[in-house]
Amino acid sequence: MDIRLLILGVCLAIKCVGFSQNSERPNILIFFTDDQGYADVGVYGAEGFETPHLDDLASEGLKFTNFYVPANVCTPSRAALLTGKYPIKVGLHSGVVSPYSTHGLEPEEITLAEVLKEGGYATSIIGKWHLGHEERYMPYNQGFDEFYGVPYSNDMDSYYYKHNDFQSPPLPFYRNEKIIGEGVDQRYLTKMYTEEAVKQIEERNTEKSFFMYVAHNMPHEPLYVSEKFEGKSDLGLYGDVIMELDWSMGQIVKALKEEGIYENTIIIFTSDNGPRIGSAKPLRGMKAETWEGGHRVPGIISWPNNIPKNEVINAVVSTLDLFPTLLDIAGIREMPNLDGRNIKKFLSNPSKLELQDEPIFFYGRNGEMEAVRYGKWKLHIAKARGWNKKKDGSFPVSLYDLDIDISESTDVSKQHSEIVEKLKKLIKEFENSLKY
């Protein structure tokens, strides 16, 4: 018997409560965009375009100002979201999976979809997977009942990799295990994903709660937008793309309301990492960097009648916290060896409850440890990207007080040497705990 399934079955048998297959447990919808920056949403200070539906979602729930992903590029960020573990623990912490790659998220890793499926949820992924495109790594072998989308990034469509003389094929488009198209017209990706999400919501068996993971390709380059949104914003194509993504959220919320299940659906909106061409103001850095702009992203959670409306949350939270939290919400009290925290109680009463500080570790695109945040302090020990070595010399160990210096502009390591040593110790302890 597959040891992974045995462990999962024992865990569910011991830890689960209320596992009748009915609609009392909330539906779970994760809306995950690609390379959308911290300031690329209206309520986060967007300029040149509007996002009324995302803004409405924030007014209906919680807007997080310190929401993080534990990686600054696609593959490791998605691995963390679906496993609840730092990417280094699942072997996907360095770079991204490419069309020529032969690795991916190993089948023995337990995903959020697998646990929810075993618990009676219908599970689906719509959009970008990017955790391995060989058969054993694909979504339908990782806990998802349905897959509608592409196996990796849209820029890998028919791309020639000069360094290893590899010509990638036209971007394959899947429905479950079958390729139903190749080199699809990317102008319609956002529209296609949205229509599929709405269709699945309308066709869901109301006797069974669902987990839907909507992983949009946009606004990852190359940018594409349908005719309806072309020229819609004052910012140009990038703004148009974000406005179509906002429309997508609006259509999904509308469908949930029309089916009478909006009140019983927890919606989570965030991005996989910081922007490549968008805005992370007032943060420093961008995608592929361990400055705040690479890891701190917009984060909104809505769950009518269960969490407060229109509150701004300054507590530090990450996508690692989603796995254990959603399991509790779904009736599964805990899973072993997860890196995040169960913040269900905090979400219900954030004005009165306080989250205990936990370190967040930042790995560079090269897979090397570069920084840690603990409380208000962030220590940088190395910098593979986002630092001009020729111009500025070797990167110096640097400490920032993010409470008063959100832009990481003033190094205070000399004034707080004891904090530097404390954070260095946290890094050392974490790395020593890893089993390679």
Side-chain angles (χ1 to χ4, degrees):
M1 182 179 182
D2 187 333
I3 188 64
R4 178 189 60 166
L5 294 179
L6 178 61
I7 294 171
L8 179 57
V10 171
C11 178
L12 289 173
I14 295 173
K15 301 298 183 183
C16 298
V17 295
F19 258 89
S20 58
Q21 292 190 12
N22 56 52
S23 58
E24 292 181 2
R25 291 181 299 164
N27 304 303
I28 299 166
L29 193 147
I30 297 178
F31 192 103
F32 209 56
T33 57
D34 197 337
D35 293 3
Q36 186 169 357
Y38 183 77
D40 288 337
V41 179
V43 292
Y44 284 85
E47 298 176 346
F49 58 88
E50 298 176 346
T51 58
H53 300 294
L54 289 171
D55 296 350
D56 285 347
L57 192 72
S59 71
E60 288 291 310
L62 309 176
K63 170 198 165 187
F64 293 81
T65 62
N66 283 280
F67 195 88
Y68 287 86
V69 286
N72 50 47
V73 288
C74 304
T75 293
S77 181
R78 290 157 203 275
L81 173 72
L82 290 179
T83 66
K85 299 177 182 179
Y86 277 101
I88 194 170
K89 294 186 178 182
V90 298
L92 291 173
H93 58 296
S94 178
V96 300
V97 173
S98 298
Y100 56 79
S101 300
T102 58
H103 69 292
L105 182 64
E106 291 298 334
E108 55 264 28
E109 295 295 339
I110 298 174
T111 69
L112 176 61
E114 285 175 299
V115 183
L116 292 173
K117 180 177 179 177
E118 288 290 324
Y121 273 71
T123 60
S124 68
I125 171 175
I126 299 168
K128 172 180 167 179
W129 174 239
H130 214 179
L131 290 174
H133 49 274
E134 291 194 351
E135 183 74 11
R136 64 192 180 122
Y137 301 133
M138 291 291 278
Y140 42 80
N141 288 322
Q142 301 277 14
F144 288 98
D145 297 319
E146 297 182 66
F147 171 42
Y148 179 81
V150 298
Y152 37 72
S153 290
N154 61 320
D155 63 328
M156 298 174 177
D157 181 10
S158 300
Y159 186 81
Y160 175 66
Y161 292 85
K162 186 176 180 180
H163 75 281
N164 62 352
D165 190 29
F166 180 87
Q167 176 63 57
S168 63
L171 186 66
F173 198 97
Y174 283 79
R175 182 174 289 280
N176 302 324
E177 300 179 26
K178 184 179 179 181
I179 295 177
I180 60 173
E182 293 180 304
V184 64
D185 189 337
Q186 294 193 32
R187 292 177 298 169
Y188 304 111
L189 279 179
T190 298
K191 185 174 184 287
M192 290 166 64
Y193 295 155
T194 305
E195 290 174 348
E196 177 68 16
V198 169
K199 178 173 175 284
Q200 288 189 20
I201 289 168
E202 291 173 346
E203 294 179 351
R204 285 294 177 204
N205 180 352
T206 56
E207 295 301 312
K208 198 172 189 180
S209 300
F210 65 80
F211 165 50
M212 183 180 293
Y213 172 36
V214 182
H216 279 287
N217 282 96
M218 299 296 146
H220 193 292
E221 293 179 289
L223 298 174
Y224 290 93
V225 70
S226 67
E227 296 93 338
K228 181 179 178 181
F229 289 89
E230 191 173 355
K232 191 88 170 175
S233 77
D234 294 332
L235 190 66
L237 181 56
Y238 187 83
D240 299 346
V241 167
I242 300 295
M243 291 188 73
E244 187 164 31
L245 289 169
D246 180 72
W247 164 83
S248 176
M249 176 63 83
Q251 292 297 109
I252 290 171
V253 169
K254 179 182 176 184
L256 292 170
K257 289 180 177 178
E258 288 179 347
E259 294 301 312
I261 56 177
Y262 173 72
E263 300 291 325
N264 194 38
T265 302
I266 180 168
I267 302 174
I268 300 164
F269 160 76
T270 190
S271 172
D272 66 342
N273 47 248
R276 173 69 179 85
I277 57 175
S279 174
K281 289 182 181 179
L283 308 177
R284 181 178 181 178
M286 59 189 291
K287 174 183 179 176
E289 298 176 0
T290 51
W291 299 112
E292 288 291 280
H295 287 255
R296 197 192 298 203
V297 290
I300 298 171
I301 300 179
S302 168
W303 188 16
N305 303 322
N306 290 278
I307 64 176
K309 291 185 177 183
N310 201 31
E311 286 201 19
V312 176
I313 308 301
N314 296 318
V316 176
V317 172
S318 85
T319 52
L320 291 172
D321 298 322
L322 296 180
F323 198 133
T325 302
L326 292 173
L327 294 195
D328 191 3
I329 288 171
I332 304 169
R333 298 220 174 137
E334 63 182 72
M335 280 281 290
N337 304 318
L338 299 180
D339 287 320
R341 302 161 296 173
N342 180 353
I343 61 170
K344 177 185 173 184
K345 291 182 179 178
F346 173 78
L347 294 178
S348 300
N349 197 0
S351 62
K352 293 185 179 179
L353 297 180
E354 187 173 341
L355 285 178
Q356 184 176 350
D357 289 334
E358 293 285 344
I360 294 181
F361 299 99
F362 300 74
Y363 280 82
R365 193 182 189 282
N366 60 2
E368 298 295 322
M369 174 77 78
E370 290 193 357
V372 61
R373 175 172 182 174
Y374 185 69
K376 69 177 184 176
W377 300 106
K378 185 174 177 186
L379 179 73
H380 295 261
I381 60 170
K383 200 66 59 194
R385 296 194 179 202
W387 182 260
N388 191 328
K389 187 175 181 180
K390 290 184 178 180
K391 176 183 175 183
D392 301 316
S394 298
F395 181 79
V397 172
S398 305
L399 179 71
Y400 301 95
D401 180 346
L402 296 179
D403 278 359
I404 60 175
D405 184 20
I406 192 173
S407 300
E408 297 174 288
S409 59
T410 305
D411 173 21
V412 294
S413 58
K414 290 182 173 57
Q415 297 94 309
H416 299 280
S417 57
E418 75 287 356
I419 300 297
V420 171
E421 293 308 311
K422 179 180 179 180
L423 298 189
K424 281 184 176 180
K425 184 179 179 182
L426 287 177
I427 290 175
K428 184 176 181 180
E429 289 174 346
F430 179 77
E431 295 209 297
N432 286 343
S433 73
L434 299 173
K435 297 178 182 179
Y436 294 95

